[in-house]
Amino acid sequence: MSTNNLERVLTHPRETVWAAMFAPEAAEYWLGTVASILPEREGAAFCWLYDPGARLPFAYPGRVEKLTRHRRLELVTALYSCDAEVRMTFELSDHGAGHTRLSLRQEGFPDEGHGRFERDGFLHHWDHFLELLGDYLDGTPHSYHTMHKTELGVIPVGAVRGEGLLVQGVALGTPAAGAGVRPGDVIRGARDAAFDSLDDLDAWVESHRPGDTVELLIGERVVPVTLRAKEYAPA
């Protein structure tokens, strides 16, 4: 089983950070959810609901395993693409001058199957989520889903170095959908880049402009795709 470890220093006291972790209105910004339920109670069920746009909504359900108020939160959730559970342990500690050190440990990722890809997906997304939590607390909230200006339309599970990224879904009407990319495809990379992580994919998409035609390497196929400007749903 594999683990992830992330850490952020936030310029707010533990009580403020803790409250934002549980508040549904805060989760809309730092987690990108459309709805969330996270009771402040051990043994309670929780759920984060996402609306990815041109496909069906999906949810991450789980339970609150352990809780020490303002200091420690342990959650268990099911992986989206394989039959496994991930334990997420948040630790909050004082970091001087009213600041908080927030650490996150994730464990339980399978070393085989889709779990290898999903580990990268969790690491990638939660690294951004903790950054966005800081933005929210600072009064400058951003949406994770509006960070990019150029669109491919692939929703990945994650990536594995040397293998590429596994496609979880493809948003309808996007360049990837029009080019025939399908769920279950493994994109090894592009003509001008390898996709060893989701950060690689993000950087590659942002290095191109709308209207650029690129070539994806999917198995033995070379798939041309014309990128477009990212479209956002009205708030």
Side-chain angles (χ1 to χ4, degrees), residues 149-203:
K149 305 301 181 185
T150 305
E151 183 171 40
L152 173 62
V154 166
I155 301 109
V157 174
V160 171
R161 180 169 297 278
E163 295 186 36
L165 66 89
L166 175 63
V167 176
Q168 172 182 302
V170 181
L172 298 176
T174 60
V181 182
R182 297 290 180 264
D185 282 345
V186 176
I187 303 176
R188 295 188 288 114
R191 285 288 194 192
D192 55 349
F195 297 157
D196 288 330
S197 71
L198 294 192
D199 287 323
D200 288 345
L201 174 65
D202 280 353

Side-chain angles (χ1 to χ4, degrees), residues 2 4 6 35 37 43 46 50 59 66 84 90 102-103 113 116 121 123 127 136 147 185 189 205 231 235:
S2 301
N4 291 334
L6 298 169
I37 300 172
F46 77 89
Y50 292 87
K66 295 181 182 178
F90 298 85
L102 174 61
S103 62
R116 297 173 302 141
L123 177 64
D127 189 34
Y136 175 82
M147 295 176 70
D185 282 345
V205 170
E231 300 177 356

Side-chain angles (χ1 to χ4, degrees), residues 40-231:
E40 199 173 345
R41 186 177 71 255
E42 288 187 358
F46 77 89
C47 184
W48 293 315
L49 179 65
Y50 292 87
D51 181 2
R55 65 190 187 101
L56 293 175
F58 67 94
Y60 279 107
R63 67 180 179 274
V64 179
E65 192 81 348
K66 295 181 182 178
L67 181 152
T68 302
R69 200 161 188 262
H70 300 158
R71 292 192 177 277
R72 182 182 177 92
L73 173 65
E74 292 186 31
L75 304 176
V76 174
T77 186
L79 287 181
Y80 190 77
S81 300
C82 60
D83 185 20
E85 290 185 335
V86 168
R87 180 179 299 273
M88 296 188 291
T89 303
F90 298 85
E91 297 270 7
L92 288 74
S93 58
D94 295 328
H95 193 65
H99 295 181
T100 298
R101 183 185 300 277
L102 174 61
S103 62
L104 170 59
R105 179 178 177 84
Q106 300 169 321
E107 51 193 335
F109 298 95
D111 294 324
E112 302 295 333
H114 289 178
R116 297 173 302 141
F117 292 91
E118 193 143 20
R119 177 186 179 278
D120 179 78
F122 262 65
L123 177 64
H124 173 86
H125 288 96
W126 277 96
D127 189 34
H128 288 299
F129 289 160
L130 296 187
E131 178 183 352
L132 291 170
L133 175 59
D135 290 342
Y136 175 82
L137 291 167
D138 290 341
T140 56
H142 298 90
S143 169
Y144 178 76
H145 302 290
T146 60
M147 295 176 70
H148 306 297
K149 305 301 181 185
T150 305
E151 183 171 40
L152 173 62
V154 166
I155 301 109
V157 174
V160 171
R161 180 169 297 278
E163 295 186 36
L165 66 89
L166 175 63
V167 176
Q168 172 182 302
V170 181
L172 298 176
T174 60
V181 182
R182 297 290 180 264
D185 282 345
V186 176
I187 303 176
R188 295 188 288 114
R191 285 288 194 192
D192 55 349
F195 297 157
D196 288 330
S197 71
L198 294 192
D199 287 323
D200 288 345
L201 174 65
D202 280 353
W204 176 80
V205 170
E206 286 303 289
S207 72
H208 292 83
R209 296 184 177 184
D212 286 352
T213 297
V214 298
E215 292 183 331
L216 299 178
L217 308 178
I218 304 177
E220 300 303 316
R221 295 183 290 146
V222 177
V223 179
V225 183
T226 300
L227 303 174
R228 74 176 187 188
K230 190 168 181 65
E231 300 177 356

